[in-house]
Each structure stands twice: as C-alpha cells, then as structure tokens.
Amino acid sequence: MIYAMDIISLLRRVLGRFRKDDFVNILQEWKFIDIDDVDVNLKKSAKIDIVYNICEKCRNKSIKVDDVAQLDLIYNQKHSNSKKWTVYKLSRAQDVTYDQVTVEPATFQDKLQQHLSLYFRHDLHTRTKDDELWLRICLHDGSAAQFMPSNVVYMVLHLRSSYIISSNIKVTHKDYILQALLTSLEYTEVKELKLSGKNLSSLTDMVLFQQSQGAFSQYRYNQADQNPLTSGRKVKRKAESPPDVTDKRVFNENNAEKRARLSKTEETFGNNPQPVLEKLTYQLETRFHGDQHMPRIADNTAIIHCTVRFEGKNVLEGIKQLGPSGLANLPLPSHLANAHSFARNSIVLAEKSQHRSTPKKD
C-alpha cells in the first residue's frame, strides 16, 4: 500500500527534475490541475515555491500513483537524452505466420499487465506520442524501494515497426520483461542489437531509416530536385563558397582541393546532420600487411586482433569532417563512409579472400 505522503514525496521528486520554464507547458500537457489553480506566479516565483504549491493542489485533489507516473512519462519524453537507450529487434520464426498485428494501446497494456504479473508485482503505465507507445514499468522489490530509478524501466514501442528501444534493465529482470513483451506482441524472438546511446531520436532514425541515411537522406526530407529512381537530367548542387575574410590579402591557396573535398564528402554523407552516436568501435581481425616496410614474419597467416574506439559527442559527424579537414584521404574506406547506415556501435572488420577488410555481418 502506498500512502498519500509517499505519493506527494514522489511527485515532488518528479517536479524537481523539470526546469522552471517548463511548468506552464507541463501542466497543460499533464492536465491533472489547471494553471489557474496554481497560486504562485510560474514565471517569477522561485522553483521551490512553485513545486510546493503544485504539490499542495495535487494533495487536495487526492492525486494517485497513476497521475504521478503519467507526469514521469512526460518528463522522460521531453528529456530522453538523460538516459542510455538500447535497441531491440523483434521477429517471428519462419514457419510461423501471422496477419499484420495492429497494436491497440489499451489492449496491449492489458496483455502486458497480465504477462508481467506472472513474474513481478509491478505498475504499468503507457502514453502515446505520434507513432510511439511509451511504457513505464515500475517493479516492486519492496514498498520502500519500488520507486527507485533502478526499478523503473522505460520502453518505446514503434507501432509501425518491430523495434523496441529500452532504457537500462537489471540483468535479473531482463529475460522476464522481454518474454512478456514477446508474448503480448505475438512475436517469437527478440534480439538485442549492437546499437545504444543517449540520443533516442537518432537511434530511432538509424533503425527505421537505415537505407536512407547519408546522401540518400535528402530524398526522405524532400530536399532533392529529382527522385533517384526516375531517369532524367541530374541537378548539380552549387559547391560551398569559401568563407569571407576581413583581410583581403589573405587567401586560400588550396581552394580547388577544398571544394573537391567538400563535394566528395557531400556525395557520401549528404548535407544533413548525422545521427548522434557517442561511441563507435571497430574490431579488426586481419593479417599483417606491412612486409614491404619490415622483414617478413614467420607466420604470415596469423590473424591480428585490434580494437579502435571512437568516442565523443557525435562520432559520425566527426568521421564526416575527417575529409574536409584534411585528416583523411578521400574517398573514405567503406567501413567509415557507411558508418551512418550500419545502425550499430560495434563493427567487425574481417579478411576477405582478396585480403581486404570489410564489415562482417552479425
């Protein structure tokens, strides 16, 4: 049983995460209390006074855990970058055929509630946003611990696809939660993809539009003058002009080379921002190819293992800038030029029969 004081404490904790400037829009979206019911000025009052006043109004309206859970979902929808997300792919066995499953949120919630109850005491709440169904699964490990962040799992189900993106799940809970999802959605298998990060929208973009990244993104965003599948004259884009400088005596001696690098980079990556990935790892499994620079080693067939890790705010954008900055020769090798289309954080580069390193499929 959850007491009123515990609910208000939880509400105060959730409200405390929002910025002061968010309260007007949050209250309008939440709809549990009206803005006019708040006795303090939402723009001029201190945040602590605003939170206290909202809590008192909610106490008078006998707020329930369900209402606080909806507010928590609103927060995580607006601040999804505060968590690390992992992508899962749902599939069915080849010998199993179903009609196209339409996910109706209320029916799905009832099914998932039933299947989860076989494993845990829990609270389940959902909230729709565009073509996404957000899940908040709060597992009860005890009356005092049930609202600990580690006991709450957030998931985003894309209604028109077979992908689910989830926040961190405890190892002890993971198999049970995924099995409940499979049964509720009538799938037979779930696979954790090698794709994770904090930018939820980028992860979604990479898995839902894997074949239309880079230069092909212009067709998805209706930026192209012509469809690539139709015949006709290609429209050339005007090359980027060099930046203006204050001192006219200063000029770039390599203007032609710079324009060529920009043109090659745009052909590969397009002119749209790259999806945000904070980490990208290459695992090399290749033979030694440096015999021309040093004596031949005895066993030239031995596989050398090496790991190269890129980390930063956006490693894909960083790879894109290698060419224009002059830090890499163009064209880039395929495992770099197509990194935005692989939809994964970890890529294995293995030997081909022609002794060329190429990405190896999972």
Side-chain angles (χ1 to χ4, degrees):
M1 181 177 179
I2 305 173
Y3 298 98
M5 186 60 69
D6 297 327
I7 298 176
I8 295 302
S9 177
L10 175 63
L11 174 62
R12 187 179 298 112
R13 190 187 312 164
V14 175
L15 288 171
R17 299 177 193 164
F18 290 102
R19 295 175 305 204
K20 177 182 171 181
D21 297 338
D22 291 337
F23 283 121
V24 172
N25 294 331
I26 293 304
L27 293 179
Q28 290 175 340
E29 187 171 351
W30 189 29
K31 298 179 181 178
F32 182 75
I33 60 173
D34 296 327
I35 297 179
D36 297 336
D37 293 338
V38 181
D39 296 331
V40 295
N41 190 310
L42 293 175
K43 294 183 178 180
K44 297 182 179 180
S45 301
K47 179 178 175 179
I48 188 173
D49 295 331
I50 297 174
V51 171
Y52 177 81
N53 192 270
I54 293 176
C55 287
E56 288 301 308
K57 297 299 180 182
C58 292
R59 189 201 304 271
N60 295 336
K61 291 192 65 173
S62 301
I63 189 171
K64 297 180 175 59
V65 174
D66 293 349
D67 303 311
V68 182
Q70 288 297 320
L71 182 63
D72 186 40
L73 278 171
I74 292 174
Y75 174 83
N76 282 280
Q77 287 177 341
K78 293 184 177 297
H79 301 278
S80 59
N81 291 5
S82 63
K83 297 186 179 300
K84 182 180 179 181
W85 302 89
T86 302
V87 182
Y88 295 85
K89 168 71 173 177
L90 302 172
S91 60
R92 299 187 177 95
Q94 293 182 354
D95 57 341
V96 178
T97 58
Y98 291 105
D99 293 332
Q100 180 66 34
V101 177
T102 301
V103 179
E104 200 285 315
T107 303
F108 168 69
Q109 182 173 353
D110 292 340
K111 289 183 179 180
L112 185 58
Q113 187 99 39
Q114 179 182 358
H115 293 303
L116 283 174
S117 63
L118 299 176
Y119 310 115
F120 312 107
R121 290 191 304 112
H122 70 282
D123 288 325
L124 173 64
H125 299 90
T126 63
R127 188 176 184 87
T128 56
K129 180 183 179 183
D130 300 326
D131 285 336
E132 299 174 346
L133 178 63
W134 281 66
L135 312 177
R136 181 185 187 273
I137 305 173
C138 181
L139 305 176
H140 295 199
D141 286 346
S143 59
Q146 60 180 296
F147 293 116
M148 294 297 293
S150 59
N151 290 338
V152 180
V153 179
Y154 302 91
M155 290 185 166
V156 184
L157 171 64
H158 295 277
L159 301 177
R160 301 181 184 274
S161 78
S162 56
Y163 292 99
I164 288 182
I165 305 181
S166 174
S167 65
N168 185 53
I169 311 175
K170 282 185 177 180
V171 176
T172 53
H173 300 154
K174 191 172 185 178
D175 290 342
Y176 300 106
I177 292 177
L178 294 180
Q179 183 57 51
L181 281 168
L182 282 175
T183 308
S184 303
L185 292 169
E186 300 182 20
Y187 282 90
T188 57
E189 296 176 298
V190 59
K191 179 182 179 181
E192 180 178 342
L193 302 184
K194 295 180 180 179
L195 180 61
S196 61
K198 289 189 173 183
N199 194 296
L200 181 61
S201 60
S202 288
L203 298 179
T204 302
D205 190 66
M206 292 182 75
V207 294
L208 295 187
F209 305 103
Q210 186 173 352
Q211 304 303 322
S212 60
Q213 296 291 342
F216 293 104
S217 64
Q218 62 180 321
Y219 303 107
R220 178 154 50 93
Y221 294 125
N222 296 320
Q223 297 169 332
D225 300 306
Q226 181 175 314
N227 190 299
L229 301 180
T230 60
S231 60
R233 182 177 58 88
K234 293 184 178 180
V235 179
K236 293 184 178 181
R237 290 185 175 274
K238 185 179 179 181
E240 182 178 325
S241 58
D244 189 19
V245 292
T246 304
D247 192 340
K248 298 300 181 181
R249 295 173 299 175
V250 178
F251 63 93
N252 191 340
E253 293 182 343
N254 301 315
N255 240 349
E257 179 183 351
K258 179 180 179 181
R259 289 177 180 274
R261 285 181 171 273
L262 288 172
S263 178
K264 286 182 178 294
T265 299
E266 184 175 325
E267 288 177 7
T268 302
F269 294 94
N271 52 10
N272 291 302
Q274 299 302 296
V276 177
L277 277 185
E278 296 85 10
K279 183 182 296 185
L280 181 60
T281 301
Y282 291 97
Q283 297 177 340
L284 278 65
E285 299 177 0
T286 180
R287 296 180 301 106
F288 181 72
H289 295 281
D291 293 343
Q292 66 272 29
H293 301 297
M294 61 181 296
R296 179 178 295 274
I297 58 178
D299 185 7
N300 198 41
T301 63
I303 298 297
I304 298 174
H305 298 272
C306 176
T307 300
V308 179
R309 181 178 294 112
F310 294 88
E311 293 184 3
K313 292 183 178 180
N314 188 350
V315 296
L316 296 181
E317 191 65 40
I319 291 174
K320 176 181 178 180
Q321 297 304 323
L322 288 175
S325 63
L327 297 176
N329 294 327
L330 294 176
L332 294 174
S334 61
H335 61 272
L336 291 176
N338 298 317
H340 48 254
S341 298
F342 291 145
R344 60 183 111 169
N345 297 95
S346 180
I347 300 171
V348 178
L349 303 179
E351 285 279 350
K352 265 189 175 181
S353 58
Q354 294 86 359
H355 307 315
R356 294 177 61 189
S357 296
T358 55
K360 184 171 70 176
K361 299 295 184 181
D362 294 333

